[in-house]
Amino acid sequence: MKLQRFALALAGVGMLAATAAAGPATAAVRSDPTPAIANPAQGNLKTTPNTKLASGGCVQDVGFNTPKPGINDVLVTPGKPPRGEFFTEFPFVGTRLNTTWYGVQTDAHFYYHSLFVQNGTLYRGVTYFDTDNARPTYARIGSGWTSFTQLVTSNYAITAPNRSYLYGLSTNGSLYRYAASGATFRALGHFPGFKGFKAMTVVSETPTYDTLLMTTKAGALWTVRIPAAASTKPILKLVRSAGFAAYESLAARECGARGGTLVTGFDNETDSAYQYAMSKFNGSKTAVTSYGRVTGGTIPGTGIFSVTGHWNQLVGE
């Protein structure tokens, strides 16, 4: 994707079969899609990590689920206000939670892989964009995800050992971590103390730790550094004490050569998104610039997620 790169092709896409629309059907998809060197012409997809962005500045690709059900995305250019370019949606199954969509280019295919929850079941989705119509496929991973209100993924793919983690925020007040293991996920334990937290996204992926950006129900903004070592507890730093209570979900992308991050928050009460530019995260010393509400349209879904390349690494902290 960028999904918008395929807007013309997707304009004529037909509806999924009724059985697929009612719920994901188990499909033969690659459980661990093989990464490939992406074509830089595809936009967000990089051939090397952390390369300097084009002189034209940073843009952020934000996906969202739609009520039809479907998937769409908006390309957000920072400014006051930020300018959104909305593109043609395509049919997808109904989802309650969506993780980042990672794009992969191979000689034979261009596709995106992601995870999503429908009701209480976790699925893997692989959507191909190498024909005139988007071709979503689905594979069931397992049940038991009813209590989760947020799911995000980290994807460290640059040097060995590669790793892919899934983080879930549960209604019981704990943050859970899972490691990709073949076609399923292996539980790595949980961290208590997150009862008051609401929305989250990943802002750093390194060999030794991940960093989540999280909001609280009261509106505070925190970074949560989670070392890769299983026995090490998260390190929390307060970024702002108020101002972020409205957001049900967050999406982030790297921006520039100094570790900056573009962060978009979604308010489903108004079907609107708001964008921020943030410096390298350093607790309360982090510089935060509010660009305001994204123009160009509304987001008629229940949440947003990042759209990026398999090789793009987040380096926000």
Side-chain angles (χ1 to χ4, degrees):
M1 234 150 40
K2 295 189 177 168
L3 295 175
Q4 68 275 6
R5 298 291 185 189
F6 296 86
L8 293 179
L10 296 180
V13 70
M15 292 297 293
L16 290 175
T19 54
T26 300
V29 300
R30 278 175 275 187
S31 61
D32 185 14
T34 303
I37 299 300
N39 182 351
Q42 297 294 345
N44 272 351
L45 304 185
K46 297 181 191 175
T47 57
T48 57
N50 308 331
T51 54
K52 187 175 181 180
L53 294 175
S55 59
C58 306
V59 292
Q60 184 180 11
D61 201 0
V62 177
F64 56 96
N65 62 319
T66 68
K68 283 190 174 180
I71 293 291
N72 200 353
D73 73 324
V74 54
L75 189 66
V76 184
T77 301
K80 292 191 174 181
R83 185 178 73 252
E85 296 178 68
F86 288 76
F87 298 90
T88 303
E89 72 176 279
F90 61 91
F92 203 77
V93 295
T95 61
R96 185 171 66 83
L97 300 171
N98 294 275
T99 69
T100 295
W101 282 49
Y102 298 102
V104 177
Q105 176 80 62
T106 70
D107 291 339
H109 296 289
F110 181 71
Y111 61 89
Y112 274 73
H113 62 93
S114 66
L115 301 170
F116 65 90
V117 170
Q118 187 179 72
N119 299 319
T121 302
L122 182 68
Y123 292 86
R124 188 185 308 276
V126 177
T127 302
Y128 294 90
F129 290 90
D130 44 22
T131 63
D132 287 343
N133 296 332
R135 184 163 55 91
T137 62
Y138 318 100
R140 184 181 185 276
I141 294 176
S143 58
W145 300 85
T146 303
S147 70
F148 290 95
T149 60
Q150 297 278 306
L151 284 182
V152 297
T153 47
S154 69
N155 176 57
Y156 186 76
I158 302 303
T159 60
N162 298 160
R163 58 176 177 80
S164 178
Y165 286 160
L166 171 64
Y167 296 93
L169 182 63
S170 173
T171 54
N172 67 12
S174 290
L175 181 66
Y176 289 77
R177 178 166 61 174
Y178 303 84
S181 178
T184 185
F185 286 87
R186 176 170 52 91
L188 296 180
H190 66 279
F191 310 104
F194 288 86
K195 188 69 174 179
F197 285 81
K198 183 179 180 184
M200 66 185 190
T201 188
V202 177
V203 293
S204 275
E205 302 157 316
T206 80
T208 57
Y209 67 88
D210 290 326
T211 301
L212 309 185
L213 185 68
M214 302 183 70
T215 66
T216 67
K217 296 172 185 177
L221 187 68
W222 293 78
T223 55
V224 181
R225 177 184 287 202
I226 305 175
S231 60
T232 310
K233 295 181 179 180
I235 302 167
L236 279 71
K237 291 183 180 180
L238 179 65
V239 178
R240 292 292 186 272
S241 59
F244 296 87
Y247 303 132
E248 278 73 34
S249 53
L250 302 173
R253 75 146 295 166
E254 77 285 359
C255 183
R258 297 183 179 180
T261 303
L262 288 175
V263 176
T264 296
F266 173 65
D267 178 0
N268 71 359
E269 291 187 1
T270 58
D271 290 342
S272 58
Y274 295 78
Q275 190 180 60
Y276 301 82
M278 303 187 185
S279 67
K280 191 90 171 178
F281 287 100
N282 185 23
S284 61
K285 296 180 181 179
T286 306
V288 178
T289 301
S290 174
Y291 289 135
R293 183 170 178 167
V294 176
T295 62
T298 59
I299 297 177
T302 57
I304 61 173
F305 52 87
S306 298
V307 178
T308 187
H310 187 91
W311 296 96
N312 289 56
Q313 300 299 151
L314 295 162
V315 292
E317 189 196 43

